[in-house]
PDB file of all heavy atoms in Angstrom:
ATOM      1  N   ILE A 474       8.860 -10.150  11.737  1.00  0.00           N
ATOM      2  CA  ILE A 474       9.253  -9.646  13.050  1.00  0.00           C
ATOM      3  C   ILE A 474      10.452  -8.724  12.860  1.00  0.00           C
ATOM      4  O   ILE A 474      11.351  -9.017  12.067  1.00  0.00           O
ATOM      5  CB  ILE A 474       9.652 -10.797  13.990  1.00  0.00           C
ATOM      6  CG1 ILE A 474       8.478 -11.768  14.194  1.00  0.00           C
ATOM      7  CG2 ILE A 474      10.154 -10.274  15.338  1.00  0.00           C
ATOM      8  CD1 ILE A 474       8.894 -13.079  14.836  1.00  0.00           C
ATOM      9  N   ALA A 475      10.457  -7.608  13.572  1.00  0.00           N
ATOM     10  CA  ALA A 475      11.623  -6.724  13.618  1.00  0.00           C
ATOM     11  C   ALA A 475      12.239  -6.819  15.005  1.00  0.00           C
ATOM     12  O   ALA A 475      11.574  -6.529  16.003  1.00  0.00           O
ATOM     13  CB  ALA A 475      11.223  -5.286  13.316  1.00  0.00           C
ATOM     14  N   GLU A 476      13.491  -7.240  15.051  1.00  0.00           N
ATOM     15  CA  GLU A 476      14.238  -7.251  16.298  1.00  0.00           C
ATOM     16  C   GLU A 476      15.008  -5.935  16.377  1.00  0.00           C
ATOM     17  O   GLU A 476      16.032  -5.752  15.715  1.00  0.00           O
ATOM     18  CB  GLU A 476      15.200  -8.443  16.336  1.00  0.00           C
ATOM     19  CG  GLU A 476      14.499  -9.785  16.334  1.00  0.00           C
ATOM     20  CD  GLU A 476      15.467 -10.963  16.298  1.00  0.00           C
ATOM     21  OE1 GLU A 476      16.688 -10.734  16.154  1.00  0.00           O
ATOM     22  OE2 GLU A 476      15.010 -12.112  16.419  1.00  0.00           O
ATOM     23  N   LEU A 477      14.506  -5.019  17.174  1.00  0.00           N
ATOM     24  CA  LEU A 477      15.051  -3.659  17.229  1.00  0.00           C
ATOM     25  C   LEU A 477      16.113  -3.534  18.311  1.00  0.00           C
ATOM     26  O   LEU A 477      16.004  -4.128  19.398  1.00  0.00           O
ATOM     27  CB  LEU A 477      13.922  -2.664  17.491  1.00  0.00           C
ATOM     28  CG  LEU A 477      12.957  -2.487  16.304  1.00  0.00           C
ATOM     29  CD1 LEU A 477      11.564  -2.167  16.784  1.00  0.00           C
ATOM     30  CD2 LEU A 477      13.461  -1.412  15.371  1.00  0.00           C
ATOM     31  N   ARG A 478      17.127  -2.708  18.017  1.00  0.00           N
ATOM     32  CA  ARG A 478      18.226  -2.465  18.942  1.00  0.00           C
ATOM     33  C   ARG A 478      18.196  -1.021  19.422  1.00  0.00           C
ATOM     34  O   ARG A 478      17.529  -0.170  18.824  1.00  0.00           O
ATOM     35  CB  ARG A 478      19.555  -2.749  18.235  1.00  0.00           C
ATOM     36  CG  ARG A 478      19.688  -4.168  17.698  1.00  0.00           C
ATOM     37  CD  ARG A 478      20.803  -4.245  16.698  1.00  0.00           C
ATOM     38  NE  ARG A 478      21.031  -5.586  16.182  1.00  0.00           N
ATOM     39  CZ  ARG A 478      21.679  -5.855  15.050  1.00  0.00           C
ATOM     40  NH1 ARG A 478      22.189  -4.860  14.315  1.00  0.00           N
ATOM     41  NH2 ARG A 478      21.843  -7.096  14.652  1.00  0.00           N
ATOM     42  N   PRO A 479      18.941  -0.695  20.475  1.00  0.00           N
ATOM     43  CA  PRO A 479      18.894   0.663  21.038  1.00  0.00           C
ATOM     44  C   PRO A 479      19.302   1.761  20.068  1.00  0.00           C
ATOM     45  O   PRO A 479      18.850   2.903  20.210  1.00  0.00           O
ATOM     46  CB  PRO A 479      19.879   0.584  22.214  1.00  0.00           C
ATOM     47  CG  PRO A 479      19.879  -0.841  22.611  1.00  0.00           C
ATOM     48  CD  PRO A 479      19.722  -1.612  21.336  1.00  0.00           C
ATOM     49  N   ASP A 480      20.132   1.461  19.069  1.00  0.00           N
ATOM     50  CA  ASP A 480      20.559   2.500  18.127  1.00  0.00           C
ATOM     51  C   ASP A 480      19.626   2.627  16.924  1.00  0.00           C
ATOM     52  O   ASP A 480      19.879   3.411  16.008  1.00  0.00           O
ATOM     53  CB  ASP A 480      21.991   2.229  17.653  1.00  0.00           C
ATOM     54  CG  ASP A 480      22.111   0.935  16.852  1.00  0.00           C
ATOM     55  OD1 ASP A 480      21.134   0.161  16.783  1.00  0.00           O
ATOM     56  OD2 ASP A 480      23.200   0.701  16.283  1.00  0.00           O
ATOM     57  N   GLY A 481      18.537   1.845  16.885  1.00  0.00           N
ATOM     58  CA  GLY A 481      17.579   1.907  15.786  1.00  0.00           C
ATOM     59  C   GLY A 481      17.842   0.897  14.690  1.00  0.00           C
ATOM     60  O   GLY A 481      17.007   0.722  13.803  1.00  0.00           O
ATOM     61  N   SER A 482      18.998   0.234  14.709  1.00  0.00           N
ATOM     62  CA  SER A 482      19.241  -0.833  13.747  1.00  0.00           C
ATOM     63  C   SER A 482      18.344  -2.022  14.094  1.00  0.00           C
ATOM     64  O   SER A 482      17.776  -2.096  15.190  1.00  0.00           O
ATOM     65  CB  SER A 482      20.711  -1.244  13.737  1.00  0.00           C
ATOM     66  OG  SER A 482      21.081  -1.772  14.997  1.00  0.00           O
ATOM     67  N   SER A 483      18.218  -2.952  13.162  1.00  0.00           N
ATOM     68  CA  SER A 483      17.277  -4.044  13.398  1.00  0.00           C
ATOM     69  C   SER A 483      17.639  -5.254  12.560  1.00  0.00           C
ATOM     70  O   SER A 483      18.459  -5.182  11.630  1.00  0.00           O
ATOM     71  CB  SER A 483      15.846  -3.605  13.056  1.00  0.00           C
ATOM     72  OG  SER A 483      15.734  -3.310  11.664  1.00  0.00           O
ATOM     73  N   VAL A 484      17.010  -6.353  12.891  1.00  0.00           N
ATOM     74  CA  VAL A 484      17.041  -7.558  12.073  1.00  0.00           C
ATOM     75  C   VAL A 484      15.606  -7.935  11.758  1.00  0.00           C
ATOM     76  O   VAL A 484      14.767  -8.022  12.669  1.00  0.00           O
ATOM     77  CB  VAL A 484      17.754  -8.728  12.791  1.00  0.00           C
ATOM     78  CG1 VAL A 484      17.544 -10.039  12.021  1.00  0.00           C
ATOM     79  CG2 VAL A 484      19.240  -8.440  12.938  1.00  0.00           C
ATOM     80  N   ILE A 485      15.297  -8.124  10.487  1.00  0.00           N
ATOM     81  CA  ILE A 485      13.980  -8.577  10.072  1.00  0.00           C
ATOM     82  C   ILE A 485      14.016 -10.097   9.989  1.00  0.00           C
ATOM     83  O   ILE A 485      14.919 -10.686   9.366  1.00  0.00           O
ATOM     84  CB  ILE A 485      13.579  -7.983   8.712  1.00  0.00           C
ATOM     85  CG1 ILE A 485      13.680  -6.452   8.754  1.00  0.00           C
ATOM     86  CG2 ILE A 485      12.166  -8.426   8.336  1.00  0.00           C
ATOM     87  CD1 ILE A 485      12.801  -5.772   9.780  1.00  0.00           C
ATOM     88  N   THR A 486      13.047 -10.758  10.599  1.00  0.00           N
ATOM     89  CA  THR A 486      13.020 -12.212  10.624  1.00  0.00           C
ATOM     90  C   THR A 486      11.566 -12.678  10.690  1.00  0.00           C
ATOM     91  O   THR A 486      10.637 -11.900  10.450  1.00  0.00           O
ATOM     92  CB  THR A 486      13.852 -12.729  11.813  1.00  0.00           C
ATOM     93  OG1 THR A 486      13.930 -14.153  11.761  1.00  0.00           O
ATOM     94  CG2 THR A 486      13.279 -12.290  13.149  1.00  0.00           C
ATOM     95  N   LYS A 487      11.369 -13.938  11.003  1.00  0.00           N
ATOM     96  CA  LYS A 487      10.039 -14.511  11.207  1.00  0.00           C
ATOM     97  C   LYS A 487      10.183 -15.663  12.186  1.00  0.00           C
ATOM     98  O   LYS A 487      11.310 -16.076  12.522  1.00  0.00           O
ATOM     99  CB  LYS A 487       9.422 -14.983   9.885  1.00  0.00           C
ATOM    100  CG  LYS A 487      10.197 -16.077   9.162  1.00  0.00           C
ATOM    101  CD  LYS A 487       9.585 -16.368   7.800  1.00  0.00           C
ATOM    102  CE  LYS A 487      10.312 -17.527   7.099  1.00  0.00           C
ATOM    103  NZ  LYS A 487      10.098 -18.813   7.730  1.00  0.00           N
ATOM    104  N   HIS A 488       9.057 -16.182  12.660  1.00  0.00           N
ATOM    105  CA  HIS A 488       9.139 -17.297  13.599  1.00  0.00           C
ATOM    106  C   HIS A 488       9.734 -18.530  12.923  1.00  0.00           C
ATOM    107  O   HIS A 488       9.428 -18.809  11.751  1.00  0.00           O
ATOM    108  CB  HIS A 488       7.756 -17.642  14.137  1.00  0.00           C
ATOM    109  CG  HIS A 488       7.250 -16.685  15.173  1.00  0.00           C
ATOM    110  ND1 HIS A 488       8.042 -16.169  16.171  1.00  0.00           N
ATOM    111  CD2 HIS A 488       5.999 -16.160  15.373  1.00  0.00           C
ATOM    112  CE1 HIS A 488       7.324 -15.368  16.939  1.00  0.00           C
ATOM    113  NE2 HIS A 488       6.084 -15.343  16.480  1.00  0.00           N
ATOM    114  N   PRO A 489      10.560 -19.298  13.628  1.00  0.00           N
ATOM    115  CA  PRO A 489      11.148 -20.514  13.052  1.00  0.00           C
ATOM    116  C   PRO A 489      10.069 -21.495  12.601  1.00  0.00           C
ATOM    117  O   PRO A 489       9.036 -21.658  13.267  1.00  0.00           O
ATOM    118  CB  PRO A 489      11.963 -21.097  14.216  1.00  0.00           C
ATOM    119  CG  PRO A 489      12.215 -19.945  15.134  1.00  0.00           C
ATOM    120  CD  PRO A 489      11.015 -19.049  14.997  1.00  0.00           C
ATOM    121  N   GLY A 490      10.308 -22.113  11.452  1.00  0.00           N
ATOM    122  CA  GLY A 490       9.397 -23.136  10.971  1.00  0.00           C
ATOM    123  C   GLY A 490       8.203 -22.631  10.205  1.00  0.00           C
ATOM    124  O   GLY A 490       7.420 -23.435   9.679  1.00  0.00           O
ATOM    125  N   THR A 491       8.024 -21.324  10.119  1.00  0.00           N
ATOM    126  CA  THR A 491       6.905 -20.794   9.352  1.00  0.00           C
ATOM    127  C   THR A 491       7.294 -20.668   7.879  1.00  0.00           C
ATOM    128  O   THR A 491       8.469 -20.664   7.526  1.00  0.00           O
ATOM    129  CB  THR A 491       6.464 -19.434   9.896  1.00  0.00           C
ATOM    130  OG1 THR A 491       7.580 -18.524   9.882  1.00  0.00           O
ATOM    131  CG2 THR A 491       5.954 -19.561  11.328  1.00  0.00           C
ATOM    132  N   GLY A 492       6.304 -20.552   7.011  1.00  0.00           N
ATOM    133  CA  GLY A 492       6.545 -20.530   5.578  1.00  0.00           C
ATOM    134  C   GLY A 492       7.139 -19.229   5.097  1.00  0.00           C
ATOM    135  O   GLY A 492       7.349 -18.278   5.844  1.00  0.00           O
ATOM    136  N   GLY A 493       7.402 -19.183   3.784  1.00  0.00           N
ATOM    137  CA  GLY A 493       7.989 -17.993   3.190  1.00  0.00           C
ATOM    138  C   GLY A 493       9.487 -17.925   3.414  1.00  0.00           C
ATOM    139  O   GLY A 493      10.149 -18.917   3.688  1.00  0.00           O
ATOM    140  N   ALA A 494      10.024 -16.722   3.292  1.00  0.00           N
ATOM    141  CA  ALA A 494      11.458 -16.505   3.463  1.00  0.00           C
ATOM    142  C   ALA A 494      11.712 -15.039   3.752  1.00  0.00           C
ATOM    143  O   ALA A 494      10.942 -14.168   3.337  1.00  0.00           O
ATOM    144  CB  ALA A 494      12.219 -16.918   2.198  1.00  0.00           C
ATOM    145  N   VAL A 495      12.784 -14.770   4.480  1.00  0.00           N
ATOM    146  CA  VAL A 495      13.250 -13.405   4.708  1.00  0.00           C
ATOM    147  C   VAL A 495      14.636 -13.305   4.100  1.00  0.00           C
ATOM    148  O   VAL A 495      15.590 -13.905   4.608  1.00  0.00           O
ATOM    149  CB  VAL A 495      13.285 -13.036   6.202  1.00  0.00           C
ATOM    150  CG1 VAL A 495      13.776 -11.600   6.382  1.00  0.00           C
ATOM    151  CG2 VAL A 495      11.902 -13.196   6.825  1.00  0.00           C
ATOM    152  N   THR A 496      14.746 -12.572   3.010  1.00  0.00           N
ATOM    153  CA  THR A 496      16.019 -12.400   2.311  1.00  0.00           C
ATOM    154  C   THR A 496      16.224 -10.913   2.039  1.00  0.00           C
ATOM    155  O   THR A 496      15.288 -10.107   2.191  1.00  0.00           O
ATOM    156  CB  THR A 496      16.025 -13.158   0.979  1.00  0.00           C
ATOM    157  OG1 THR A 496      15.093 -12.536   0.077  1.00  0.00           O
ATOM    158  CG2 THR A 496      15.638 -14.618   1.170  1.00  0.00           C
ATOM    159  N   VAL A 497      17.420 -10.570   1.610  1.00  0.00           N
ATOM    160  CA  VAL A 497      17.666  -9.185   1.208  1.00  0.00           C
ATOM    161  C   VAL A 497      16.674  -8.781   0.118  1.00  0.00           C
ATOM    162  O   VAL A 497      16.191  -7.654   0.088  1.00  0.00           O
ATOM    163  CB  VAL A 497      19.122  -9.008   0.738  1.00  0.00           C
ATOM    164  CG1 VAL A 497      19.308  -7.657   0.056  1.00  0.00           C
ATOM    165  CG2 VAL A 497      20.078  -9.130   1.920  1.00  0.00           C
TER     166      VAL A 497
END
Side-chain angles (χ1 to χ4, degrees):
I474 300 167
E476 296 177 354
L477 290 149
R478 302 163 177 160
D480 64 352
S482 63
S483 64
V484 170
I485 305 300
T486 186
K487 61 186 183 69
H488 284 319
T491 57
V495 180
T496 68
V497 168

